[in-house]
Amino acid sequence: MAPIATSAGAYVALATGARDDGGGIAVGGRVADIPPRMLAAYQRAARQVGRHVPTCRGMRWPVLAGIAKVESNHAIGRSVAGNGDIRPRIYGVLLNGSGAGGNTTLFPDTDGGRWDGSASGERAVGPFQFLPSIWDGVGKDAGGDGRADPHNADDAALGAAVYLCGNGRDLARESQLRAAIFQYNRSTAYVANVRGWIDQYTAAAKTPDLDNVTGDVRTVIEAALAQRGVPYSWGGGTAKGPSTGICCSPSGKSGARIRGFDCSGLTTYAYAKAGIRLPRTAAAQAGVGQRIPAGAGTRALKPGDLVFYAYAPGRDSTIYHVGIYVGSGQMINAARPGTVVRLDPVDAMSGYAGGARLL
Protein backbone atom coordinates (compact mmCIF):
# COMPACT_ATOMS: atom_id res chain seq x y z
CA MET A 1 0.00 0.00 0.00
CA ALA A 2 1.44 3.34 -0.99
CA PRO A 3 1.87 6.04 1.64
CA ILE A 4 -1.06 8.40 1.91
CA ALA A 5 1.11 11.44 2.46
CA THR A 6 0.06 12.93 -0.85
CA SER A 7 -3.59 12.96 0.17
CA ALA A 8 -3.17 14.96 3.32
CA GLY A 9 -4.03 18.45 4.45
CA ALA A 10 -1.23 20.20 2.58
CA TYR A 11 -3.18 19.59 -0.61
CA VAL A 12 -6.67 20.31 0.66
CA ALA A 13 -8.24 23.30 -1.05
CA LEU A 14 -11.71 23.90 0.33
CA ALA A 15 -13.55 27.02 -0.74
CA THR A 16 -16.43 26.85 1.69
CA GLY A 17 -15.61 29.97 3.67
CA ALA A 18 -17.21 28.15 6.57
CA ARG A 19 -16.24 28.72 10.16
CA ASP A 20 -17.23 27.19 13.45
CA ASP A 21 -20.00 29.26 14.99
CA GLY A 22 -18.58 28.63 18.43
CA GLY A 23 -21.84 27.17 19.64
CA GLY A 24 -20.16 24.49 21.69
CA ILE A 25 -21.67 21.10 22.39
CA ALA A 26 -24.79 19.68 23.92
CA VAL A 27 -24.36 17.12 26.65
CA GLY A 28 -24.87 13.61 25.34
CA GLY A 29 -23.71 12.95 21.82
CA ARG A 30 -22.05 16.10 20.56
CA VAL A 31 -18.51 17.39 20.87
CA ALA A 32 -17.32 20.95 20.40
CA ASP A 33 -16.71 21.80 16.76
CA ILE A 34 -17.73 18.39 15.35
CA PRO A 35 -21.09 18.23 13.55
CA PRO A 36 -23.20 15.49 15.19
CA ARG A 37 -23.47 13.41 12.01
CA MET A 38 -19.70 13.40 11.55
CA LEU A 39 -19.15 12.49 15.21
CA ALA A 40 -21.53 9.56 14.74
CA ALA A 41 -19.44 8.40 11.78
CA TYR A 42 -16.22 8.49 13.81
CA GLN A 43 -17.80 6.61 16.69
CA ARG A 44 -19.27 3.99 14.38
CA ALA A 45 -15.96 3.44 12.59
CA ALA A 46 -14.13 2.95 15.89
CA ARG A 47 -16.63 0.21 16.76
CA GLN A 48 -16.55 -1.46 13.34
CA VAL A 49 -12.85 -1.52 12.53
CA GLY A 50 -12.27 -4.74 14.47
CA ARG A 51 -14.30 -6.64 11.88
CA HIS A 52 -11.77 -5.67 9.22
CA VAL A 53 -8.54 -5.57 11.25
CA PRO A 54 -9.17 -8.00 14.13
CA THR A 55 -5.70 -7.51 15.58
CA CYS A 56 -6.05 -3.71 15.83
CA ARG A 57 -6.07 -2.34 19.36
CA GLY A 58 -6.73 1.09 20.82
CA MET A 59 -8.79 2.61 18.02
CA ARG A 60 -11.10 5.30 19.41
CA TRP A 61 -13.12 8.03 17.82
CA PRO A 62 -10.90 10.98 18.93
CA VAL A 63 -8.12 9.50 16.75
CA LEU A 64 -10.36 9.70 13.68
CA ALA A 65 -11.66 13.10 14.71
CA GLY A 66 -8.10 14.44 14.96
CA ILE A 67 -7.35 13.33 11.40
CA ALA A 68 -10.62 14.68 10.01
CA LYS A 69 -10.20 18.01 11.80
CA VAL A 70 -6.90 18.64 10.05
CA GLU A 71 -7.94 17.18 6.69
CA SER A 72 -11.35 18.81 6.17
CA ASN A 73 -12.45 20.55 9.38
CA HIS A 74 -15.08 17.81 9.78
CA ALA A 75 -16.68 18.70 6.44
CA ILE A 76 -18.12 21.86 8.03
CA GLY A 77 -19.91 23.87 5.36
CA ARG A 78 -21.08 20.74 3.57
CA SER A 79 -24.40 18.96 3.92
CA VAL A 80 -24.22 15.48 5.45
CA ALA A 81 -27.27 13.36 4.71
CA GLY A 82 -28.73 10.82 7.08
CA ASN A 83 -27.00 8.03 5.15
CA GLY A 84 -23.66 9.84 5.46
CA ASP A 85 -23.35 11.20 1.91
CA ILE A 86 -21.53 14.55 1.85
CA ARG A 87 -22.52 17.20 -0.68
CA PRO A 88 -21.01 19.08 -2.30
CA ARG A 89 -18.11 16.68 -2.44
CA ILE A 90 -14.77 17.64 -0.94
CA TYR A 91 -11.86 17.73 -3.42
CA GLY A 92 -8.24 18.63 -2.93
CA VAL A 93 -6.20 20.38 -5.60
CA LEU A 94 -5.30 18.52 -8.78
CA LEU A 95 -1.93 16.85 -8.21
CA ASN A 96 -0.48 17.60 -11.62
CA GLY A 97 2.87 19.00 -10.53
CA SER A 98 1.82 22.57 -11.27
CA GLY A 99 2.81 23.83 -7.84
CA ALA A 100 -0.74 24.88 -6.98
CA GLY A 101 -1.53 24.10 -3.35
CA GLY A 102 2.08 23.05 -2.76
CA ASN A 103 2.11 20.01 -5.03
CA THR A 104 5.17 19.59 -7.22
CA THR A 105 4.83 15.92 -8.20
CA LEU A 106 2.57 14.56 -10.92
CA PHE A 107 0.19 11.81 -9.82
CA PRO A 108 -1.37 10.12 -12.87
CA ASP A 109 -5.07 9.42 -12.80
CA THR A 110 -6.08 5.99 -11.47
CA ASP A 111 -9.87 6.14 -11.26
CA GLY A 112 -10.94 7.78 -14.51
CA GLY A 113 -12.46 10.56 -12.43
CA ARG A 114 -14.87 8.25 -10.60
CA TRP A 115 -14.01 9.62 -7.16
CA ASP A 116 -12.02 12.78 -7.80
CA GLY A 117 -13.98 14.18 -10.75
CA SER A 118 -10.94 14.41 -13.01
CA ALA A 119 -9.43 12.00 -15.51
CA SER A 120 -6.37 14.19 -16.02
CA GLY A 121 -4.75 13.50 -12.67
CA GLU A 122 -5.34 12.56 -9.05
CA ARG A 123 -6.68 14.65 -6.24
CA ALA A 124 -7.55 13.84 -2.64
CA VAL A 125 -11.22 13.30 -1.88
CA GLY A 126 -13.70 13.26 0.97
CA PRO A 127 -13.49 14.32 4.62
CA PHE A 128 -10.41 12.16 5.16
CA GLN A 129 -8.74 13.25 1.91
CA PHE A 130 -7.88 9.90 0.38
CA LEU A 131 -6.22 9.57 -2.99
CA PRO A 132 -8.37 7.29 -5.19
CA SER A 133 -5.47 4.83 -5.49
CA ILE A 134 -5.27 4.55 -1.69
CA TRP A 135 -9.02 4.31 -1.32
CA ASP A 136 -9.06 1.28 -3.57
CA GLY A 137 -7.02 -0.55 -0.94
CA VAL A 138 -8.73 0.58 2.26
CA GLY A 139 -12.26 1.62 1.29
CA LYS A 140 -15.01 -0.17 3.21
CA ASP A 141 -18.78 -0.15 3.10
CA ALA A 142 -19.80 0.94 6.59
CA GLY A 143 -23.48 1.51 5.90
CA GLY A 144 -24.42 -1.72 4.17
CA ASP A 145 -25.46 -0.21 0.85
CA GLY A 146 -22.94 -2.33 -1.06
CA ARG A 147 -20.71 0.60 -2.00
CA ALA A 148 -17.55 1.98 -0.40
CA ASP A 149 -17.63 5.72 -1.09
CA PRO A 150 -14.94 8.13 0.17
CA HIS A 151 -17.54 10.92 -0.06
CA ASN A 152 -19.69 9.14 2.51
CA ALA A 153 -18.91 10.03 6.14
CA ASP A 154 -19.37 6.49 7.48
CA ASP A 155 -17.39 4.78 4.71
CA ALA A 156 -14.60 7.36 4.82
CA ALA A 157 -14.23 7.15 8.61
CA LEU A 158 -14.07 3.36 8.49
CA GLY A 159 -11.53 3.47 5.67
CA ALA A 160 -9.38 5.83 7.73
CA ALA A 161 -9.64 3.53 10.74
CA VAL A 162 -8.56 0.56 8.63
CA TYR A 163 -5.62 2.51 7.23
CA LEU A 164 -4.48 3.72 10.64
CA CYS A 165 -4.73 0.21 12.09
CA GLY A 166 -2.43 -1.14 9.38
CA ASN A 167 -1.66 -4.80 9.92
CA GLY A 168 -2.69 -4.65 13.56
CA ARG A 169 -1.28 -1.69 15.45
CA ASP A 170 -1.90 -1.01 19.11
CA LEU A 171 -2.92 2.64 18.96
CA ALA A 172 -3.03 2.85 22.74
CA ARG A 173 0.76 2.90 22.54
CA GLU A 174 2.04 6.38 21.83
CA SER A 175 4.79 5.24 19.49
CA GLN A 176 2.40 3.21 17.35
CA LEU A 177 -0.21 5.98 17.31
CA ARG A 178 2.39 8.45 16.09
CA ALA A 179 3.61 5.96 13.48
CA ALA A 180 0.04 5.60 12.18
CA ILE A 181 -0.44 9.36 11.92
CA PHE A 182 2.96 9.72 10.25
CA GLN A 183 1.93 7.11 7.69
CA TYR A 184 -1.15 9.19 6.95
CA ASN A 185 1.04 12.19 6.20
CA ARG A 186 4.80 11.95 6.43
CA SER A 187 5.30 15.21 8.28
CA THR A 188 6.31 15.67 11.90
CA ALA A 189 4.37 18.95 11.99
CA TYR A 190 1.28 17.09 10.79
CA VAL A 191 1.71 14.45 13.49
CA ALA A 192 1.98 17.13 16.17
CA ASN A 193 -1.11 18.94 14.88
CA VAL A 194 -3.26 15.81 14.73
CA ARG A 195 -1.95 14.58 18.08
CA GLY A 196 -2.97 17.86 19.69
CA TRP A 197 -6.51 17.53 18.37
CA ILE A 198 -6.72 13.94 19.58
CA ASP A 199 -5.85 15.12 23.08
CA GLN A 200 -8.48 17.85 22.93
CA TYR A 201 -11.21 15.51 21.73
CA THR A 202 -10.21 12.92 24.29
CA ALA A 203 -10.60 15.50 27.03
CA ALA A 204 -13.99 16.51 25.64
CA ALA A 205 -15.16 12.91 25.68
CA LYS A 206 -14.65 12.51 29.42
CA THR A 207 -17.80 13.29 31.38
CA PRO A 208 -17.84 13.53 35.20
CA ASP A 209 -20.40 11.70 37.30
CA LEU A 210 -23.34 14.05 37.86
CA ASP A 211 -25.77 11.47 39.24
CA ASN A 212 -26.08 13.29 42.56
CA VAL A 213 -26.02 16.81 41.14
CA THR A 214 -29.39 18.44 40.62
CA GLY A 215 -31.20 21.74 40.15
CA ASP A 216 -29.37 24.97 39.30
CA VAL A 217 -25.99 23.44 40.15
CA ARG A 218 -26.48 20.82 37.46
CA THR A 219 -27.68 23.50 35.04
CA VAL A 220 -24.46 25.48 35.55
CA ILE A 221 -22.17 22.46 35.25
CA GLU A 222 -23.88 21.08 32.16
CA ALA A 223 -23.77 24.50 30.50
CA ALA A 224 -20.02 24.68 31.08
CA LEU A 225 -19.40 21.05 30.10
CA ALA A 226 -21.27 21.70 26.87
CA GLN A 227 -18.50 24.10 25.83
CA ARG A 228 -15.65 21.57 26.05
CA GLY A 229 -13.50 21.85 22.96
CA VAL A 230 -14.34 25.51 22.35
CA PRO A 231 -11.08 27.50 21.96
CA TYR A 232 -9.64 29.74 24.65
CA SER A 233 -10.10 33.34 23.63
CA TRP A 234 -8.72 36.11 25.86
CA GLY A 235 -11.61 38.50 26.46
CA GLY A 236 -14.04 36.05 24.84
CA GLY A 237 -17.35 34.91 26.25
CA THR A 238 -20.52 36.61 27.46
CA ALA A 239 -23.70 35.55 29.23
CA LYS A 240 -25.03 34.58 25.80
CA GLY A 241 -22.14 32.33 24.78
CA PRO A 242 -18.72 32.45 23.08
CA SER A 243 -17.61 35.71 21.52
CA THR A 244 -14.59 37.01 19.64
CA GLY A 245 -11.47 37.78 21.64
CA ILE A 246 -7.73 37.64 21.16
CA CYS A 247 -5.80 34.50 20.30
CA CYS A 248 -2.40 33.26 21.31
CA SER A 249 -1.21 35.92 23.73
CA PRO A 250 -2.91 37.28 26.84
CA SER A 251 -1.27 40.62 26.10
CA GLY A 252 -2.83 40.62 22.66
CA LYS A 253 0.47 40.99 20.84
CA SER A 254 -0.42 38.46 18.17
CA GLY A 255 -3.40 40.50 17.03
CA ALA A 256 -5.20 37.32 15.95
CA ARG A 257 -8.91 37.08 16.67
CA ILE A 258 -10.66 33.91 17.79
CA ARG A 259 -14.17 33.04 18.95
CA GLY A 260 -14.39 31.32 22.29
CA PHE A 261 -14.10 31.83 26.06
CA ASP A 262 -11.57 32.97 28.58
CA CYS A 263 -11.89 31.71 32.15
CA SER A 264 -14.29 34.33 33.50
CA GLY A 265 -16.20 34.46 30.22
CA LEU A 266 -16.97 30.77 30.63
CA THR A 267 -18.16 31.16 34.23
CA THR A 268 -20.25 34.19 33.25
CA TYR A 269 -21.97 32.14 30.57
CA ALA A 270 -22.54 29.03 32.69
CA TYR A 271 -24.02 30.88 35.66
CA ALA A 272 -26.24 32.96 33.40
CA LYS A 273 -27.98 29.70 32.49
CA ALA A 274 -29.11 29.52 36.14
CA GLY A 275 -30.17 33.17 36.17
CA ILE A 276 -27.09 34.43 38.03
CA ARG A 277 -25.30 37.47 36.67
CA LEU A 278 -21.58 37.56 37.40
CA PRO A 279 -19.13 40.43 37.03
CA ARG A 280 -16.76 39.96 34.11
CA THR A 281 -13.37 39.41 35.74
CA ALA A 282 -12.17 36.52 37.89
CA ALA A 283 -11.11 38.85 40.74
CA ALA A 284 -14.53 40.51 40.81
CA GLN A 285 -16.32 37.15 40.78
CA ALA A 286 -14.56 36.28 44.04
CA GLY A 287 -16.72 38.90 45.72
CA VAL A 288 -19.97 37.13 44.88
CA GLY A 289 -21.59 34.47 47.07
CA GLN A 290 -20.17 32.65 50.10
CA ARG A 291 -16.37 32.78 50.08
CA ILE A 292 -14.56 29.49 50.72
CA PRO A 293 -11.08 30.25 52.12
CA ALA A 294 -8.04 28.60 50.63
CA GLY A 295 -7.06 27.37 54.07
CA ALA A 296 -10.10 25.07 54.09
CA GLY A 297 -8.51 23.09 51.27
CA THR A 298 -10.07 21.79 48.09
CA ARG A 299 -12.09 19.20 50.05
CA ALA A 300 -14.35 22.04 51.15
CA LEU A 301 -15.46 22.56 47.55
CA LYS A 302 -18.79 21.29 46.25
CA PRO A 303 -19.91 20.84 42.63
CA GLY A 304 -20.84 24.17 41.11
CA ASP A 305 -18.47 26.24 43.25
CA LEU A 306 -16.22 28.78 41.60
CA VAL A 307 -12.52 27.96 42.06
CA PHE A 308 -9.98 30.82 42.17
CA TYR A 309 -6.24 31.15 41.63
CA ALA A 310 -4.12 34.15 42.61
CA TYR A 311 -0.60 35.44 42.21
CA ALA A 312 -0.67 36.13 45.95
CA PRO A 313 -3.23 33.82 47.60
CA GLY A 314 -4.99 35.68 50.40
CA ARG A 315 -5.15 38.89 48.37
CA ASP A 316 -8.20 38.67 46.15
CA SER A 317 -7.05 41.62 44.09
CA THR A 318 -4.34 39.34 42.66
CA ILE A 319 -6.77 36.63 41.49
CA TYR A 320 -5.98 35.84 37.87
CA HIS A 321 -8.05 32.74 37.12
CA VAL A 322 -11.37 31.04 37.82
CA GLY A 323 -12.90 27.65 37.04
CA ILE A 324 -16.03 25.69 37.98
CA TYR A 325 -15.65 22.74 40.34
CA VAL A 326 -17.43 19.55 39.21
CA GLY A 327 -16.35 17.17 41.95
CA SER A 328 -13.72 14.43 42.30
CA GLY A 329 -10.93 17.00 42.26
CA GLN A 330 -11.81 18.30 38.78
CA MET A 331 -12.92 21.61 37.35
CA ILE A 332 -14.17 22.87 34.02
CA ASN A 333 -11.41 25.14 32.83
CA ALA A 334 -10.62 27.62 30.08
CA ALA A 335 -6.96 27.57 30.96
CA ARG A 336 -4.83 29.62 28.60
CA PRO A 337 -4.20 30.59 24.95
CA GLY A 338 -3.72 27.59 22.70
CA THR A 339 -6.00 25.33 24.73
CA VAL A 340 -9.72 24.61 24.70
CA VAL A 341 -12.38 24.43 27.39
CA ARG A 342 -11.75 21.12 29.15
CA LEU A 343 -11.75 19.19 32.41
CA ASP A 344 -8.63 19.76 34.50
CA PRO A 345 -7.52 18.78 38.02
CA VAL A 346 -8.04 21.62 40.48
CA ASP A 347 -4.28 21.68 41.01
CA ALA A 348 -3.63 22.32 37.29
CA MET A 349 -3.27 26.02 38.01
CA SER A 350 -0.91 27.56 40.56
CA GLY A 351 -1.85 29.70 43.55
CA TYR A 352 -5.08 28.10 44.79
CA ALA A 353 -7.07 30.91 46.39
CA GLY A 354 -10.21 29.17 47.57
CA GLY A 355 -13.65 29.25 46.07
CA ALA A 356 -17.09 30.83 46.18
CA ARG A 357 -20.49 29.15 46.57
CA LEU A 358 -23.30 30.84 44.69
CA LEU A 359 -25.88 28.06 44.76
Side-chain angles (χ1 to χ4, degrees):
M1 185 181 298
I4 200 167
T6 51
S7 70
Y11 297 128
V12 176
L14 303 182
T16 64
R19 64 171 177 81
D20 175 22
D21 65 6
I25 65 174
V27 174
R30 300 183 67 185
V31 177
D33 59 340
I34 307 176
R37 185 61 184 84
M38 295 301 294
L39 175 60
Y42 309 152
Q43 293 171 330
R44 184 176 191 175
R47 294 192 301 266
Q48 289 183 331
V49 70
R51 302 176 189 173
H52 304 279
V53 190
T55 55
C56 184
R57 298 289 181 271
M59 175 55 71
R60 49 201 173 90
W61 71 256
V63 174
L64 300 171
I67 296 286
K69 172 65 178 181
V70 176
E71 295 295 344
S72 70
N73 195 26
H74 306 302
I76 289 175
R78 263 61 175 180
S79 173
V80 186
N83 70 351
D85 286 344
I86 299 171
R87 298 294 183 271
R89 293 179 168 186
I90 301 173
Y91 295 118
V93 299
L94 188 63
L95 301 176
N96 57 6
S98 68
N103 80 92
T104 57
T105 304
L106 171 66
F107 289 83
D109 176 70
T110 62
D111 69 334
R114 179 188 182 193
W115 299 125
D116 63 9
S118 173
S120 60
E122 294 277 84
R123 53 182 179 177
V125 298
F128 284 87
Q129 288 293 276
F130 283 102
L131 287 180
S133 57
I134 299 296
W135 181 252
D136 283 345
V138 301
K140 303 297 178 184
D141 172 22
D145 62 1
R147 186 178 188 229
D149 184 348
H151 298 285
N152 177 278
D154 297 320
D155 294 354
L158 182 54
V162 168
Y163 190 84
L164 290 165
C165 280
N167 293 324
R169 289 190 176 98
D170 182 353
L171 300 176
R173 297 187 177 186
E174 182 66 19
S175 61
Q176 294 193 36
L177 174 60
R178 288 184 174 274
I181 300 170
F182 187 77
Q183 174 184 284
Y184 210 97
N185 184 334
R186 297 179 184 276
S187 160
T188 55
Y190 179 88
V191 172
N193 192 8
V194 170
R195 193 66 188 81
W197 283 108
I198 292 172
D199 284 345
Q200 291 179 20
Y201 292 135
T202 299
K206 295 178 180 177
T207 300
D209 181 4
L210 300 180
D211 288 348
N212 297 318
V213 179
T214 60
D216 286 343
V217 172
R218 189 177 184 117
T219 297
V220 168
I221 291 176
E222 286 186 342
L225 285 172
Q227 303 308 310
R228 285 175 296 174
V230 173
Y232 181 95
S233 172
W234 188 64
T238 70
K240 295 182 179 180
S243 64
T244 301
I246 299 172
C247 173
C248 307
S249 170
S251 65
K253 292 180 181 178
S254 71
R257 311 292 291 180
I258 188 169
R259 187 175 173 84
F261 291 101
D262 64 11
C263 65
S264 56
L266 177 65
T267 55
T268 296
Y269 168 75
Y271 272 89
K273 292 297 184 181
I276 296 176
R277 183 175 180 177
L278 291 179
R280 184 57 180 82
T281 66
Q285 290 178 5
V288 180
Q290 175 191 347
R291 196 74 165 86
I292 302 168
T298 58
R299 290 187 178 182
L301 296 170
K302 293 183 178 180
D305 289 347
L306 294 176
V307 188
F308 299 106
Y309 302 84
Y311 295 113
R315 293 173 53 194
D316 282 0
S317 62
T318 70
I319 287 175
Y320 71 92
H321 193 78
V322 61
I324 300 175
Y325 188 67
V326 297
S328 302
Q330 292 185 305
M331 65 177 171
I332 310 165
N333 194 24
R336 61 184 64 86
T339 67
V340 296
V341 177
R342 64 194 186 190
L343 285 173
D344 273 334
V346 292
D347 60 2
M349 313 297 292
S350 61
Y352 176 64
R357 187 163 299 148
L358 284 68
L359 296 166

